[in-house]
Amino acid sequence: MAASVPSQPSVEATSPLDYDAIIIGAGMSGMYQLHRLRELGMRVRVFEAGTGVGGTWYWNRYPGARFDSESYSYGYSFSKELLEEWDWTEHFAPQPETLRYLNFVADKFDLRRDIQFRSRVASAHYDEAARSWAVELDDGRRHRARFLITAIGVLSSPTMPRIAGVETFEGKSFHTARWPHEAVSFEGKRVAVIGTGATGVQTIQEVAKTAGRLTVFQRTPNWCAPLHNRKIDAQTMAKIRAEYSDIFRRCQETFACFLHTPDPRGTFEVTPEEREAFFEKLYAEPGFGIWQGNFRDILTDRKANAAISDFVARKIRQRVKDQAVAEKLIPRDHGFGTRRVPLETKYYEVYNQPNVTLVDIKATPIERITPTGIKTSDAEYAFDIIIYATGFDAITGAFDQIDLRGVNGLRLKERWRNGPQTYLGVMVEGFPNMMMLMGPHTALGNIPRSIEYNVEWVTGLLRHARSAGITRVEATPEGVASWTDHVKSLGVGLLSNEINSWMTGINTNVEGKQTRIIARYSGSAPAYRARCDEAAANGYRELALA
Ligand code: NA7
């Protein structure tokens, strides 16, 4: 409900705004938000740290990077023309193709003229007197805008491991999310990969093809499942194009906006034979079906979860020849699907190759990185290249990187000291005129689908503000408390919330990120949209507008 807000600003005349809105980030969300705000006739500037558009797909150029969602369910859906003009060449597109796609979008909608590249935002401070945001880039340039929209990504702040000696290594080393633009050859090289999350798995299966020797340093194995990627020929693309409206309608209807949605049956409502046959079917199908389209209770019921975990463990044992290695690759501390499921293409078979070694660093921890390689508690390895696939300071990490201050100079990091608190995952009390795209507590799932909704909602709010002459939009304490409680209640009973992962805000490499938090909205995407639609239909009266 409307809270008391300061009276109309008086300093505006002497302190003109450079823009109506500043967007931080030119990834999928920032690009689309720019397009929509321009349609409202707003003066918009996007600041982007990279040299090009694409965000995640700009930065993550590591070998083997690709979609785990079907390409045609991942692209933008808002423009019929765009859907007509773009052809996907694989069911799960590789990163270079996605980056080309996003550049194509930027060209088509002439986005670059409002995007300033090589411009990292260092700070953003709310100025109450002017009801605006003062944004400073890391080169000291300053800009002011009425609204600040963060489009900074969920997994965009990469983290290096806290291992002694990282800086002493004399060979080449790369974090997967800061991969060079030039090709890196592994031919005949001794290569180390640290990390076996979704990124590590994609990297390992690619590097193993050419490396002289590949040594994988695994701390925690993950439950991986086959991607079953295929090429898309012209005929198939024509069929996909004809079905686009069905594809996107289906994404709107499913729990997490994927083409897959949970089977209504419980794991033990079928016979053991039917259960096994269903698991086999899912294991043989492309994409996230085995995770997102499995029996409805595998992520909430321990016995159901054990059944699918046991099935996948058997698959790993069948696929890996050396059973001692197979046992190391089977997760023991979490069940299937309670962490993000990496999708793979012959990942397990990599460990049957003579040039690949798996090192279990829970058994023999890495003691230090040396100038020539890696020293564990029981051996010293020499490497030409070390690849860090060690993940991100997820969800709140990119916010922490910016000195973001709201009313009375309160830092967002402080505000979220005990975990994020938001209104609909979009706004924070004390941070007027700031809207987050893919902020904490929004529905993630198939991210572009969630992005499009998020952007539409923010656009609707700004359209309303402009037409009603509103210059200050803030979440209320009640609105934030109620949404935060709701998000927390949705997390109850989810097995994934009992597990350490980026989805529960854990990162062993970042100070202060060792306690699990509820970082994501875990209800259904349709329910999320219904709630946000209702807030808009009510004239945004849950917000303080002035
Ligand atoms: P993840 O899923 O966070 O994986 C990071 C991996 O790196 C994981 O295996 C970690 O082991 C490992 N790691 C992290 N720090 C260390 C140290 N210090 N020593 C050894 N191993 C370490 O990140 P990804 O980039 O793979 O994927 C992120 C998301 O991006 C993914 O879910 C997709 O949605 C896209 P741990 O499990 O913590 O023991």
Side-chain angles (χ1 to χ4, degrees):
M1 288 309 304
S4 69
V5 291
S7 57
Q8 204 51 26
S10 54
V11 292
E12 187 130 315
T14 55
S15 172
L17 299 177
D18 302 311
Y19 307 104
D20 296 316
I22 286 176
I23 298 171
I24 313 177
M28 282 194 87
S29 58
M31 290 167 68
Y32 185 41
Q33 187 69 78
L34 167 62
H35 176 64
R36 280 295 186 227
L37 294 190
R38 264 191 199 164
E39 287 179 339
L40 294 186
M42 289 175 76
R43 290 172 303 144
V44 187
R45 192 74 168 164
V46 181
F47 294 117
E48 164 56 51
T51 57
V53 297
T56 288
W57 302 105
Y58 169 88
W59 294 104
N60 286 272
R61 296 163 188 259
Y62 62 84
R66 68 170 63 246
F67 287 155
D68 281 345
S69 314
E70 290 75 1
S71 311
Y72 33 88
S73 77
Y74 193 99
Y76 291 113
S77 71
F78 70 89
S79 162
K80 237 183 140 62
E81 246 182 62
L82 179 59
L83 294 170
E84 285 300 323
E85 290 168 12
W86 182 260
D87 285 349
W88 294 105
T89 68
E90 298 186 40
H91 284 263
F92 301 89
Q95 174 271 338
E97 180 166 335
T98 309
L99 188 57
R100 269 199 308 281
Y101 167 73
L102 293 171
N103 276 284
F104 178 80
V105 174
D107 289 340
K108 180 168 176 59
F109 297 100
D110 189 19
L111 298 180
R112 285 193 193 78
R113 70 181 150 89
D114 289 320
I115 304 175
Q116 192 172 310
F117 295 104
R118 293 190 175 84
S119 298
R120 185 174 288 281
V121 171
S123 72
H125 294 178
Y126 180 68
D127 175 351
E128 187 68 271
R131 292 187 171 182
S132 66
W133 282 87
V135 169
E136 187 168 328
L137 304 179
D138 61 4
D139 64 5
R141 282 176 292 172
R142 287 167 189 229
H143 305 270
R144 298 171 72 86
R146 173 77 67 217
F147 296 103
L148 176 70
I149 299 175
T150 64
I152 53 184
V154 177
L155 294 153
S156 54
S157 183
T159 48
M160 288 290 284
R162 291 197 283 191
I163 303 174
V166 164
E167 65 299 335
T168 65
F169 182 60
E170 286 170 358
K172 286 184 179 162
S173 61
F174 312 100
H175 189 289
T176 46
R178 289 293 176 270
W179 202 262
H181 291 207
E182 307 73 45
V184 176
S185 166
F186 305 105
E187 208 76 47
K189 297 278 191 326
R190 297 162 303 173
V191 184
V193 175
I194 302 178
T196 49
T199 301
V201 166
Q202 289 188 334
T203 305
I204 290 161
Q205 66 199 17
E206 191 61 29
V207 173
K209 290 177 185 166
T210 55
R213 265 231 75 74
L214 169 63
T215 310
V216 175
F217 292 86
Q218 171 189 269
R219 187 163 68 182
T220 312
N222 283 297
W223 296 101
C224 312
L227 175 67
H228 296 301
N229 187 25
R230 278 170 301 132
K231 298 267 186 229
I232 297 176
D233 58 22
Q235 204 183 348
T236 311
M237 192 60 229
K239 189 164 175 292
I240 289 168
R241 190 165 278 127
E243 289 170 1
Y244 261 137
S245 57
D246 280 348
I247 289 171
F248 291 122
R249 200 199 51 242
R250 182 157 170 71
C251 290
Q252 291 299 99
E253 288 168 1
T254 59
F255 192 89
C257 304
F258 293 108
L259 287 172
H260 316 274
T261 202
D263 190 282
R265 297 169 299 170
T267 303
F268 299 106
E269 288 169 15
V270 300
T271 65
E273 295 71 31
E274 282 171 323
R275 186 160 55 245
E276 186 74 6
F278 186 54
F279 288 160
E280 283 289 357
K281 175 177 167 291
L282 292 173
Y283 200 77
E285 282 175 356
F288 276 138
I290 195 161
W291 185 28
Q292 299 291 323
N294 213 314
F295 292 117
R296 64 171 153 73
D297 51 0
I298 64 150
L299 303 179
T300 50
D301 180 277
R302 279 172 220 286
K303 270 186 73 186
N305 188 262
I308 180 64
S309 301
D310 174 64
F311 174 86
V312 180
R314 280 185 277 131
K315 288 291 182 195
I316 297 171
R317 291 188 185 105
Q318 284 162 16
R319 292 174 59 184
V320 178
K321 285 189 187 137
D322 180 336
Q323 288 305 293
V325 175
E327 293 308 314
K328 284 186 196 168
L329 289 164
I330 297 172
R332 311 282 163 189
D333 65 348
H334 68 281
F336 178 85
T338 59
R339 288 172 137 204
R340 203 285 208 180
V341 174
L343 294 186
E344 46 85 23
T345 304
K346 299 200 165 43
Y347 172 66
Y348 290 110
E349 285 73 13
V350 156
Y351 296 99
N352 299 333
Q353 290 180 208
N355 65 331
V356 179
T357 309
L358 178 67
V359 177
D360 173 358
I361 54 171
K362 271 214 172 111
T364 56
I366 297 178
E367 288 180 348
R368 60 181 304 112
I369 309 288
T370 67
T372 54
I374 295 178
K375 182 177 179 331
T376 66
S377 60
D378 80 339
E380 200 155 349
Y381 301 82
F383 293 113
D384 303 303
I385 299 173
I386 299 178
I387 300 174
Y388 296 99
T390 44
F392 302 87
D393 184 358
I395 302 179
T396 53
F399 289 92
D400 294 348
Q401 297 299 312
I402 302 170
D403 177 16
L404 267 168
R405 293 175 197 236
V407 172
N408 297 328
L410 178 66
R411 270 203 79 171
L412 185 63
K413 201 172 172 177
E414 271 304 304
R415 180 76 180 73
W416 286 351
R417 179 190 277 278
N418 299 317
Q421 298 184 27
T422 75
Y423 170 70
L424 305 179
V426 179
M427 299 196 69
V428 185
E429 168 217 353
F431 294 78
N433 294 0
M434 180 181 94
M435 288 92 194
M436 302 177 292
L437 301 174
M438 292 293 93
H441 295 178
T442 34
L444 297 178
N446 185 4
I447 296 234
R449 302 283 63 78
S450 307
I451 284 175
E452 282 192 336
Y453 181 78
N454 235 201
V455 166
E456 295 297 348
W457 196 87
V458 168
T459 306
L461 174 59
L462 296 195
R463 185 186 298 114
H464 175 75
R466 279 171 78 78
S467 66
I470 289 161
T471 52
R472 192 181 190 282
V473 181
E474 187 184 5
T476 64
E478 301 79 32
V480 169
S482 139
W483 182 251
T484 304
D485 288 349
H486 177 58
V487 169
K488 285 186 179 163
S489 73
L490 288 169
V492 175
L494 265 189
L495 298 176
S496 58
N497 282 336
E498 300 171 5
I499 304 296
N500 288 351
S501 76
W502 66 260
M503 295 197 278
T504 49
I506 299 291
N507 187 317
T508 59
N509 305 310
V510 182
E511 201 70 51
K513 300 254 166 132
Q514 274 77 54
T515 311
R516 275 183 227 136
I517 56 167
I518 302 290
R520 297 174 305 143
Y521 168 88
S522 49
S524 78
Y528 175 76
R529 289 192 301 266
R531 176 67 184 81
C532 294
D533 285 350
E534 181 197 320
N538 286 340
Y540 306 99
R541 61 192 159 88
E542 293 162 20
L543 291 167
L545 305 175

